[in-house]
Amino acid sequence: MRPAANWRDYQVLDCSGGEKLERWGDKLLIRPDPQIIWNTPKDPALWDRADARYLRSKTGGGRWEYRKNLPESWQIRYRELTFKISPTGFKHTGLFPEQAANWDLFDSLIRAAGRPVKVLNLFAYTGGATLACAAAGASVCHVDASKGMVAWSRENAALSGLGERPIRWIVDDCEKFVAREIRRGNRYDAVIMDPPSYGRGPGGEVWKLEDQIYDLVCLCEQVLSDDPLFFALNSYTTGLSPSVMAHLLGAVLIPRRGGRVEADEIGLPVQSTGLALPCGNTALWLRSNAESV
């Protein structure tokens, strides 16, 4: 596992009974996590300090229970990056902190390339990977179907002092955008994909990752440049293990591009136990002469 161990403004303090207690700056939140299947004792002196707790509804969705007054949003930093944090109605806060393990990886690959790098970031959410790549010197095309998420990303870029960097902000269906980029002859040295497990297409059709991911990876392979640097695929879908994702990327990319594939879990250190909480999987294709992760 690759834990995101370089945070100062974020921390998992404890996790038990399907919940994790997190510190976001100076705010403490309790959020559900289905992977936390253990029921170790919860220290009231710690857990009772939480400012808010997200409660799931038996009929779907949920709500925040506020124990203290919280601002609508606040900011946290990761290295030179600044992010707006705001609890949403779907338990999220606008950031997946475990992805910092990948941000560090992308940063090192781009800086080591020693040449201009164009990155395509698909399902880009609020822009953590986009900003990490831009800060490393890459030009980035940031694509997400949600207008609100793209606006949030641009706000994070401004907060991070990256508002003038070469970033294209695109609100579009990712698959349709990639198909148009291929027809237009636009190519990228790196592709980052963080697709949702489930979703709805533009026509309301159900989008299930296991059923769609192979075709999507095949499509995105066509948008790579003649000398690509990396292709990263992230997933929170339980059935897609690192080995499955590695095999998928390898089967599509290695016959045409050579190189090699690596895959692992990413996670977050837990202060109370000294262990790491698994938070998803990442598979990475690298060109043959790229340094190992």
Side-chain angles (χ1 to χ4, degrees):
M1 180 187 290
R2 291 185 294 118
N6 295 319
W7 278 101
R8 294 185 179 180
D9 283 1
Y10 172 85
Q11 193 174 29
V12 178
L13 301 176
D14 195 15
C15 53
S16 179
E19 296 180 311
K20 55 188 173 185
L21 174 64
E22 305 165 288
R23 178 178 63 83
W24 298 84
D26 60 354
K27 313 293 190 297
L28 299 186
L29 304 179
I30 297 173
R31 296 192 298 158
D33 188 320
Q35 295 203 90
I36 302 172
I37 60 174
W38 47 92
N39 286 292
T40 49
K42 293 181 177 179
D43 181 1
L46 183 63
W47 286 76
D48 289 352
R49 291 166 47 206
D51 299 291
R53 180 185 183 190
Y54 188 84
L55 302 174
R56 287 196 180 278
S57 170
K58 294 181 179 179
T59 58
R63 62 179 178 85
W64 286 96
E65 176 187 76
Y66 290 95
R67 300 173 178 178
K68 302 176 184 176
N69 290 328
L70 286 180
E72 182 178 340
S73 66
W74 62 96
Q75 297 172 15
I76 67 172
R77 288 185 58 82
Y78 183 76
R79 295 187 167 177
E80 71 269 42
L81 306 179
T82 301
F83 299 98
K84 183 184 81 170
I85 302 302
S86 181
T88 71
F90 299 97
K91 87 168 183 176
H92 299 303
T93 62
L95 195 68
F96 291 96
E98 65 275 5
Q99 285 296 324
N102 286 331
W103 305 341
D104 291 345
L105 170 62
F106 304 151
D107 178 282
S108 63
L109 289 169
I110 291 167
R111 292 182 190 275
R115 60 180 172 92
V117 175
K118 290 179 60 179
V119 177
L120 176 61
N121 186 15
L122 301 171
F123 310 96
Y125 195 49
T126 59
T130 292
L131 301 188
C133 293
S139 60
V140 186
C141 182
H142 172 111
V143 187
D144 197 280
S146 169
K147 183 177 180 180
M149 291 300 104
V150 173
W152 196 332
S153 302
R154 299 189 71 156
E155 188 172 351
N156 285 336
L159 291 171
S160 300
L162 299 171
E164 301 304 315
R165 293 295 177 96
I167 303 173
R168 293 172 63 199
W169 304 102
I170 306 295
V171 179
D172 203 350
D173 175 82
C174 289
E175 184 174 357
K176 291 184 176 181
F177 177 79
V178 171
R180 287 198 299 273
E181 288 290 88
I182 294 169
R183 292 194 297 270
R184 288 187 287 241
N186 290 334
R187 298 294 182 265
Y188 298 86
D189 304 301
V191 172
I192 301 168
M193 294 174 52
D194 195 358
S197 297
Y198 297 94
R200 293 274 180 182
E205 63 275 14
V206 175
W207 195 94
K208 187 176 180 182
L209 184 60
E210 295 96 323
D211 298 335
Q212 308 290 334
I213 191 60
Y214 174 75
D215 290 341
L216 187 55
V217 170
C218 288
L219 180 69
C220 291
E221 183 274 331
Q222 299 176 57
V223 85
L224 287 172
S225 67
D226 292 336
D227 186 21
L229 186 62
F230 68 86
F231 191 120
L233 172 62
N234 194 74
S235 173
Y236 294 91
T237 303
T238 306
L240 293 181
S241 69
S243 296
V244 169
M245 293 167 61
H247 193 101
L248 169 61
L249 278 192
V252 174
L253 290 164
I254 291 177
R256 292 176 57 87
R257 305 284 181 169
R260 68 185 189 280
V261 173
E262 302 176 2
D264 205 348
E265 288 183 293
I266 57 174
L268 292 164
V270 180
Q271 182 193 52
S272 63
T273 63
L275 303 173
L277 177 66
C279 298
N281 306 314
T282 299
L284 182 74
W285 173 87
L286 293 161
R287 63 180 183 178
S288 297
N289 59 344
E291 293 184 4
S292 181
V293 178

